[in-house]
Structures are given as C-alpha cells and as structure tokens.
Amino acid sequence: MENDRKKRARRVLAVEASAIEGVREKIDEGFGKAIDLILAAKGKVVVSGMGKSGLIGRKIASTMASTGTPAFFLHPADGIHGDLGMVRRGDVVIAISNSGETEEIVRLLPVFKRVGLPVIALTGRSESTLAKYADAVLDVGVPKEACSLGLAPTASTTATLAMGDALAVVLFEEKGFSEEDFADLHPGGALGRRLQTVADLMHTGDEIPIVSSEIPLTDALLVISAKRLGVTGVVDDGGNLVGVITDGDIRRMTQAGVDLYKANVGEVMSRSPKRIRATELAAAALRKMEEYTITSLFVFESASSTKPVGIVHIHDLLKAGVG
C-alpha cells in the first residue's frame, strides 16, 4: 500500500513537472508583449479568473504586488455586478481561463475593450474567445491533468501559476527592484525580520559612543564602558569619523606595554573604520561584521557621508533575528 501511494504521488509530480516544462517551451513573442504592456501601464494590473483559475489569479496578483508591480484581483462575477468601478483607464488586465470560454470572463472582455484596457490572456486554447480578444496571449495549455480522472484542474493550474511567477520575476528584474524595495513591502514576520534595514536597529543620538581625537585614552575608556558597546568612534573637530577604539584594541595595547595613562586617543586609534549605510539591510551588516571579525559598525546616511548617524552592534542584529 505504502509503495503504491509513493508511486501515485510521484506520477502526479511528474505530470506537473512536465506541464511546467511544456509551457516553458511555449514562451514566444507574446510573453515579451505582455511584459511591455504591463511596463507601459500607468495604472495597476487587474488579474481576473473564476474558480481554480481565480485562486491562481489571486496568487499572481499577490506576487506582483509584493515585487513592485501594483496589482489586485477582480472576481469576474463581482465585476459583472458592480465591482468594475475598481478598474480605471490606464490599468492592464490579466484574464485567466484554461478553456478561454469562461462565461464571466468572456462577458467582461467587451467592457475592458470599451474602457481601453489591454488584455493579457493566460489560456490553454489559443483559438478561444479570450485569446481572440487579447492583446497578448500566453499559452498555458497542458496535454493532461495530474488528476487520474483528467477532470480536476491540477497540472493546468500549476502551469498557469508558473507563468504568472515568470511574469512577476521578469517585471521586477526589468524594473531594478532591489532587496531594499522588497524589505519596504514586507515589514512583518520572519521575512520582515530578515529584511530589516540597519536604520531599524541602530543606536542613535546620545547612545552613539563618540570621543574627540585629542582627549586622553583613559577618558575614551570611560565612554566605552558607559555606552556598553565595546567600542567608541573617534571624530575630528568637524564631527567626521576618523577612527575607532575597541575594548580589544585596549587589551592589545596593554599586552604591548602601552602606558594607557599617557597616551591620547589619536595616537592609538584604528584608522579607516568599517562603515555601512543606514538604508542597507541588517543582514548585510551582519555579513560585513562576520567578514571582518568585528562586532560593531558605524552607520552613515550615504556612501559619501563622513558624520555617523548611528552605530549597530552584532547583539542588536542577533536579538532581532537577523541571520
């Protein structure tokens, strides 16, 4: 029994994998036209589909919205009964129907055309009503469903979802969508923690350990102890960061025989301190700390800034779940 179940499960996955491979081979100029239509749209992407196609459509709209392409799902039955007010000139439509003859979708097509909205069809039949109305057609047809009866939408919905992912990914790549942009749209949960920026976690204001390069080293030791970050930045008269001193530096000086009571900060500081921009991801700060075997980074507004606006410590990153 168990082996038979495994065999049937593997058959289902093989059919679905073959479906995705099949639509991969069908990518043609229609895909490029669909991308151009979406990039040219001044409004949003309106995704619509009934039943299982509707569920796939919701996922496609969600993926696009979370990767920098404003999109929402319009249930075609609701659209027929008043929700077309959600649609505006300048939008572009992705209509999903495996048969291309879904009644609710077909009834909406003349309305989309009348408003002047380009239509991108995701359909399994290139000669269908939907395909004939569409400005761009993406063929997501599959030779068979994974369902043993050949009735339940399985391989066809998998192929459609994969095509929607292809659209979303190519779109955000062409827009230059970055990790920072992604972080702005995903502030919650484990993903949000991983995508926090340095600015979200850094110490600012009076919490930043800063001393002048002219003061005695013993005074710098007091600042390191008081701020409890194991480091202090060293600034010149203009407030520009010129060096750092860590508690590790102090230990090494002691071992080297340096008289801590006679030295001043400028004589013993480490120059060219490692730095990071406030807008960078916290994960990037952690990688830099690991690369240079350090525990803190001074934070700046931009790559050309010389005055620190904060400091981030490895404990702050780990406590926030950055990893």
Side-chain angles (χ1 to χ4, degrees):
M1 173 67 76
E2 184 62 25
N3 287 337
D4 181 58
R5 287 172 175 170
K6 291 179 180 178
K7 182 178 179 180
R8 283 181 285 160
R10 290 185 179 120
R11 178 191 60 78
V12 170
L13 295 178
V15 171
E16 302 224 355
S18 177
I20 293 177
E21 182 62 26
V23 295
R24 186 177 77 89
E25 297 299 327
K26 294 178 182 180
I27 295 287
D28 57 14
E29 63 276 3
F31 187 89
K33 187 172 183 180
I35 293 292
D36 288 338
L37 288 171
I38 295 172
L39 289 175
K42 295 181 180 180
K44 296 182 178 181
V45 177
V46 183
V47 186
S48 191
M50 280 294 292
K52 302 296 189 298
S53 292
L55 295 175
I56 296 301
R58 290 181 188 277
K59 167 58 169 62
I60 292 173
S62 176
T63 299
M64 286 187 170
S66 70
T67 53
T69 300
F72 66 92
F73 178 78
L74 172 68
H75 195 290
D78 292 337
I80 292 172
H81 294 285
D83 278 5
L84 277 174
M86 300 165 62
V87 176
R88 293 287 185 269
R89 187 176 297 275
D91 292 340
V92 58
V93 175
I94 295 178
I96 306 171
S97 169
N98 188 44
S99 68
E101 303 295 342
T102 304
E103 180 184 356
E104 293 85 351
I105 290 288
V106 170
R107 289 178 63 185
L108 287 176
L109 295 175
V111 181
F112 293 146
K113 286 296 184 181
R114 186 164 61 248
V115 178
L117 307 186
V119 174
I120 300 166
L122 269 65
T123 181
R125 294 181 57 220
S126 58
E127 298 301 319
S128 63
T129 301
L130 172 58
K132 291 176 181 177
Y133 256 91
D135 299 277
V137 179
L138 304 184
D139 185 351
V140 292
V142 299
K144 62 179 180 179
E145 298 288 3
C147 165
S148 58
L149 298 176
L151 300 175
T154 46
S156 58
T157 50
T158 298
T160 304
L161 179 60
M163 185 66 79
D165 286 343
L167 284 171
V169 171
V170 172
L171 282 166
F172 86 66
E173 288 176 345
E174 296 207 3
K175 291 179 177 183
F177 193 75
S178 67
E179 284 186 326
E180 288 78 7
D181 297 323
F182 201 82
D184 288 340
L185 299 177
H186 299 78
L191 184 60
R193 290 194 297 274
R194 186 168 69 84
L195 296 175
Q196 290 178 100
T197 65
V198 172
D200 295 327
L201 302 174
M202 68 184 183
H203 300 267
T204 61
D206 291 339
E207 295 181 0
I208 307 174
I210 290 291
V211 298
S212 166
S213 60
E214 304 301 324
I215 69 169
L217 183 55
T218 50
D219 290 351
L221 292 176
L222 295 175
V223 172
I224 293 174
S225 177
K227 302 297 182 179
R228 298 184 178 182
L229 294 175
V231 65
T232 184
V234 183
V235 297
D236 61 18
D237 293 339
N240 305 295
L241 189 72
V242 294
V244 296
I245 298 176
T246 69
D247 49 12
D249 293 330
I250 302 299
R251 289 193 296 272
R252 286 185 286 273
M253 291 175 209
T254 302
Q255 293 170 357
V258 175
D259 189 338
L260 303 184
Y261 292 94
K262 292 183 178 179
N264 67 30
V265 169
E267 294 171 342
V268 298
M269 68 183 183
S270 299
R271 301 179 184 276
S272 302
K274 300 297 182 288
R275 49 184 286 152
I276 195 164
R277 289 180 288 112
T279 54
E280 289 193 57
L281 293 180
L286 183 59
R287 288 195 298 269
K288 183 170 285 190
M289 290 179 191
E290 292 171 342
E291 178 183 356
Y292 292 104
T293 319
I294 56 179
T295 59
S296 296
L297 287 168
F298 280 91
V299 184
F300 296 81
E301 288 288 359
S302 68
S304 60
S305 300
T306 55
K307 298 178 180 179
V309 295
I311 183 173
V312 62
H313 193 276
I314 192 169
H315 290 165
D316 303 319
L317 304 178
L318 298 178
K319 184 177 179 180
V322 177

